[in-house]
Amino acid sequence: MYLRALTTRRITTKLTSTSFTYRPSGHITHQSHLRHTASVRHSHFTRRAYHCGYFNVAGVYKKSGTGIYTAIIAFGVAIAGAALFPFVKDNSNKNTGEQTSIAKFEYSDLTDSYLVMAPNTPPGRPGTLTPQEELKLRELWAATMKVFGVYEPPSAEPDAPETLGSQPTSETPEKSGKKEKKKSRLHVFKRKDKGEKGGEKGGDSESNTPSGAATPSDISSISIADEDDKHGQGKEFKAAIANTAPEDLRQAFWSMVKHDHPDGLLLRFLRARKWDVEKALIMMISTMHWRLEEMHVDDDIMLNGELAAYLDSQSDDPKVKKEGEDFLAQVRMGKSFLHGLDKEGRPLCIVRARLHKQGEQSEKSLERFTVYLIETARMLLRPPVDTATIVFDMTGFSMANMDYAPVKFMIKCFEANYPESLGTVLVYKAPWIFNTIWSIIRGWLDPVVAGKVHFVKTIDDLAEFVPRPQILADLGGDEKWEYTYVEPVPSENDRLKDTVKRDELQATRTELVSKYESAILQWIHSESETGLEQRRKERDAIAEDLRSNYWTLDPYVRARTCYDRVGLIGEDGKLDFYPTATKQENAASPVVIAPVTPVAPVAPVAPAAPVAPAAPVVQTSEDDLD
């Protein structure tokens, strides 16, 4: 028997495929890459130096004990890495197909009109639709008009909407023609009950039923599989169709539109459901039901606002007083607040997790505050920017700050009721104890949403997303700005009481809404490509009128917020993301107000089209905003 030094052989392939590469959540720095490379080289050297064995007289190779121990250790490292992987893996490259971003943000990109498409507008938005996406939008509008009770069949040629655009060239004419005929129909109107002729298999087969000849049962029969219904929206959809008047759902929709392009709102639901029209319809109608019946978004939260919460906090009713105090406590401490922009022009929502203590505020006030902040953030969106960024500041976080209930509610809001509104989530300086918590939360998230979460450990990591001069000093950045709540004043909502002016503006908006719906119906029944393009321009023009109308109507239907008082949201929807020093000084002097008579609730108003903001005043140079 003799010892024999083995020829150096690499076992890199197998170990590399199972070994764990530690990435500090988010972006890998140059230094960490060098450390990783050095460790890999060291491990290779170790394996080459100690992997030896011997051959017995029969010529059979046997590993030495050292080699076995090395293999065991390597296997243990691989297992440990696999166990820790869910806690620290980098999500920055996940779901890149679902996330759209602006190549380079400039304030000049923000458009003040729907008549001119903003530069760098992402795909799947008004003006950037493919023929197939436009067809899906037509189908969803047709179904929506049916739910709202305003759908009208074409005056002639009932099957007119059955074709759109040219056929795909990748298929043979016969096959392509058959497929295109099936796809291009407004298929949501063709469902039949099992007993009907030709509908034994749920109505997917070819039918002679005209696309515009649907009955109410066609819509009510739409359903969604349980495995695709994470938030129970199928049940809410059926409840809405069965128990809510079509006109109420219609009003809820136009109230949600506010300054958005109506097409843009529907497209959010389509993108969220991967262009499945029926799933998008269920999602949208259940959202309207949620806003109208459950949260009372437009007829309570946004209508009454902070001043009503202050008045409630002075109430003699202990329950009312508690809810008012809880809501105000969150606004005053700045548990979550809106300030600044990230590198892609998205408004920033800063969440200071250390300020939340489980049980300090009621669940109702937490949900009310969450919806209030999301709705206010929507006021800051201007094309081409249609999403926001959330920064979870985990500095000083402990288990006393962990509360799963509001986290679940926030997840449902973004996944079910505000689709395609979240640009990215930055978890900043998360302590090691958050690893286990994140493993639980991640299991609740849709994979697309989970792919938007980035763990950023250092100020350099955060600066990859937010320009360093615009990172708050509280987070380690250069911007000398601190959140200070400005108390409401008694007269700030006086225009809510002016019902005469409100009704006048609302009458104008109602006419614009009817005009838009008429344009939609004409577009649905249009056959030619020329007609489609003309209909789109007509809708864009009306959308711009709706946008302008909304900002005129806004003070009569929405209570003022602290963001209105400090000048972030100005008259006619003008925005100033970085208020001047004078405004900051004013913000530092809260106004103490005496109890005043509560504002009587008024009927919710269909939103109007906003005028895009003027270029905001900034304290930093333009180079800092790249």
Side-chain angles (χ1 to χ4, degrees), residues 51 96 120 129 132 186 195 208-209 276 339 368 510 549 603 626:
H51 186 81
T96 52
N120 299 316
L129 300 180
Q132 293 76 18
L186 300 183
N208 294 324
T209 304
D276 186 303
H339 178 75
R368 187 180 183 91
T510 299
N549 169 268
D626 290 341

Side-chain angles (χ1 to χ4, degrees), residues 249-496:
L249 292 173
R250 176 173 174 261
Q251 289 297 326
F253 171 82
W254 288 107
S255 291
M256 185 178 183
V257 168
K258 291 184 167 63
H259 62 284
D260 286 345
H261 194 304
D263 283 8
L265 182 56
L266 261 68
L267 287 168
R268 287 182 184 273
F269 293 97
L270 277 171
R271 295 197 305 273
R273 288 296 174 260
K274 297 178 174 56
W275 302 93
D276 186 303
V277 175
E278 293 187 1
K279 290 180 180 179
L281 179 67
I282 290 173
M283 185 183 195
M284 187 185 70
I285 298 303
S286 65
T287 292
M288 299 311 140
H289 183 264
W290 176 82
R291 294 176 67 89
L292 186 67
E293 303 292 344
E294 189 173 337
M295 289 307 301
H296 297 277
V297 177
D298 297 305
D299 61 343
D300 180 13
I301 294 177
M302 302 309 293
L303 175 66
N304 295 317
E306 298 168 21
L307 181 57
Y310 174 83
L311 297 174
D312 287 345
S313 70
Q314 309 297 311
S315 173
D316 294 332
D317 186 327
K319 185 176 180 180
V320 174
K321 179 182 178 70
K322 168 68 173 171
E323 292 300 326
E325 290 175 340
D326 285 355
F327 180 86
L328 282 179
Q330 298 175 87
V331 183
R332 284 169 172 160
M333 75 173 71
K335 180 189 294 185
S336 302
F337 59 87
L338 305 170
H339 178 75
L341 303 169
D342 70 3
K343 283 188 173 181
E344 297 187 8
R346 295 178 293 217
L348 290 172
C349 175
I350 312 296
V351 180
R352 299 189 284 192
R354 65 182 178 275
L355 298 182
H356 178 76
K357 298 292 191 299
Q358 185 176 6
E360 280 191 348
Q361 286 92 36
S362 69
E363 184 175 346
K364 180 180 178 181
S365 70
L366 289 169
E367 293 181 356
R368 187 180 183 91
F369 177 67
T370 299
V371 172
Y372 155 84
L373 204 61
I374 295 175
E375 283 289 322
T376 304
R378 290 184 64 214
M379 297 287 151
L380 310 183
L381 301 179
R382 301 290 184 274
V385 178
D386 59 1
T387 60
T389 291
I390 300 179
V391 179
F392 283 95
D393 177 15
M394 305 298 289
T395 306
F397 175 87
S398 68
M399 290 305 294
N401 306 121
M402 190 58 226
D403 192 352
Y404 288 110
V407 172
K408 285 185 175 181
F409 180 77
M410 187 182 301
I411 290 173
K412 180 182 179 182
C413 281
F414 283 112
E415 290 187 355
N417 304 123
Y418 294 97
E420 297 294 301
S421 297
L422 190 61
T424 190
V425 177
L426 307 176
V427 183
Y428 184 52
K429 291 187 176 181
W432 67 269
I433 61 173
F434 188 71
N435 288 345
T436 303
I437 296 171
W438 170 240
S439 68
I440 296 173
I441 295 175
R442 185 180 179 84
W444 298 338
L445 294 173
D446 181 274
V448 173
V449 176
K452 298 179 180 181
V453 178
H454 305 266
F455 286 80
V456 286
K457 294 288 186 181
T458 68
I459 188 65
D460 291 331
D461 295 338
L462 185 58
E464 292 290 326
F465 297 90
V466 184
R468 188 184 289 265
Q470 293 166 220
I471 298 176
L472 298 180
D474 188 47
L475 300 176
D478 300 333
E479 188 185 2
K480 307 300 181 183
W481 184 91
E482 293 183 2
Y483 176 83
T484 305
Y485 180 65
V486 180
E487 298 283 341
V489 295
S491 61
E492 67 181 15
N493 292 328
D494 282 353
R495 281 178 287 187
L496 290 177

Side-chain angles (χ1 to χ4, degrees), residues 101-167:
S101 62
I102 301 168
K104 182 180 179 182
F105 171 71
E106 299 286 351
Y107 280 119
S108 58
D109 288 347
L110 298 178
T111 181
D112 60 353
S113 172
Y114 285 126
L115 300 178
V116 179
M117 190 172 71
N120 299 316
T121 298
R125 274 72 172 177
T128 62
L129 300 180
T130 66
Q132 293 76 18
E133 291 170 347
E134 186 165 0
L135 173 60
K136 295 296 184 180
L137 180 60
R138 290 176 74 197
E139 290 180 353
L140 182 55
W141 264 122
T144 300
M145 293 294 97
K146 194 69 181 179
V147 172
F148 293 168
V150 296
Y151 183 84
E152 297 176 359
S155 55
E157 298 182 13
D159 291 329
E162 291 182 7
T163 58
L164 175 66
S166 58
Q167 298 173 343

Side-chain angles (χ1 to χ4, degrees), residues 6-312:
L6 294 175
T7 302
T8 303
R9 67 186 188 121
R10 296 180 181 274
I11 58 174
T12 308
T13 303
K14 182 177 291 185
L15 290 176
T16 302
S17 64
T18 57
S19 63
F20 167 67
T21 302
Y22 179 81
R23 298 180 180 179
S25 301
H27 295 276
I28 300 177
T29 62
H30 180 62
Q31 291 81 0
S32 65
H33 175 69
L34 292 178
R35 288 196 298 270
H36 168 67
T37 304
S39 66
V40 171
R41 289 175 179 169
H42 174 71
S43 63
H44 288 175
F45 172 78
T46 302
R47 291 192 287 271
R48 288 196 290 268
Y50 291 98
H51 186 81
C52 58
Y54 65 89
F55 286 88
N56 60 18
V57 292
V60 179
Y61 172 74
K62 292 185 178 181
K63 290 184 179 179
S64 68
T66 306
I68 293 174
Y69 291 143
T70 301
I72 292 174
I73 292 172
F75 183 74
V77 171
I79 294 298
L84 290 173
F85 186 71
F87 301 144
V88 295
K89 74 175 182 176
D90 179 13
N91 292 315
S92 59
N93 294 323
K94 286 283 187 182
N95 300 295
T96 52
E98 298 293 338
Q99 300 183 51
T100 54
S101 62
I102 301 168
K104 182 180 179 182
F105 171 71
E106 299 286 351
Y107 280 119
S108 58
D109 288 347
L110 298 178
T111 181
D112 60 353
S113 172
Y114 285 126
L115 300 178
V116 179
M117 190 172 71
N120 299 316
T121 298
R125 274 72 172 177
T128 62
L129 300 180
T130 66
Q132 293 76 18
E133 291 170 347
E134 186 165 0
L135 173 60
K136 295 296 184 180
L137 180 60
R138 290 176 74 197
E139 290 180 353
L140 182 55
W141 264 122
T144 300
M145 293 294 97
K146 194 69 181 179
V147 172
F148 293 168
V150 296
Y151 183 84
E152 297 176 359
S155 55
E157 298 182 13
D159 291 329
E162 291 182 7
T163 58
L164 175 66
S166 58
Q167 298 173 343
T169 57
S170 59
E171 302 180 5
T172 62
E174 181 180 356
K175 182 178 179 181
S176 176
K178 182 177 179 180
K179 183 175 182 180
E180 184 65 20
K181 183 179 180 181
K182 183 175 181 181
K183 279 185 62 179
S184 61
R185 289 180 181 269
L186 300 183
H187 66 277
V188 292
F189 290 146
K190 296 195 305 174
R191 289 179 170 268
K192 287 190 174 185
D193 296 332
K194 262 191 173 184
E196 290 185 60
K197 184 178 179 180
E200 292 83 357
K201 295 186 179 181
D204 255 356
S205 59
E206 290 296 326
S207 169
N208 294 324
T209 304
S211 61
T215 63
S217 62
D218 295 326
I219 295 296
S220 62
S221 64
I222 295 176
S223 62
I224 185 171
D226 290 341
E227 58 269 21
D228 295 330
D229 194 13
K230 175 181 177 181
H231 297 288
Q233 291 186 301
K235 182 178 180 180
E236 293 181 359
F237 170 77
K238 289 185 178 299
I241 297 298
N243 304 320
T244 306
E247 180 59 23
D248 290 341
L249 292 173
R250 176 173 174 261
Q251 289 297 326
F253 171 82
W254 288 107
S255 291
M256 185 178 183
V257 168
K258 291 184 167 63
H259 62 284
D260 286 345
H261 194 304
D263 283 8
L265 182 56
L266 261 68
L267 287 168
R268 287 182 184 273
F269 293 97
L270 277 171
R271 295 197 305 273
R273 288 296 174 260
K274 297 178 174 56
W275 302 93
D276 186 303
V277 175
E278 293 187 1
K279 290 180 180 179
L281 179 67
I282 290 173
M283 185 183 195
M284 187 185 70
I285 298 303
S286 65
T287 292
M288 299 311 140
H289 183 264
W290 176 82
R291 294 176 67 89
L292 186 67
E293 303 292 344
E294 189 173 337
M295 289 307 301
H296 297 277
V297 177
D298 297 305
D299 61 343
D300 180 13
I301 294 177
M302 302 309 293
L303 175 66
N304 295 317
E306 298 168 21
L307 181 57
Y310 174 83
L311 297 174
D312 287 345

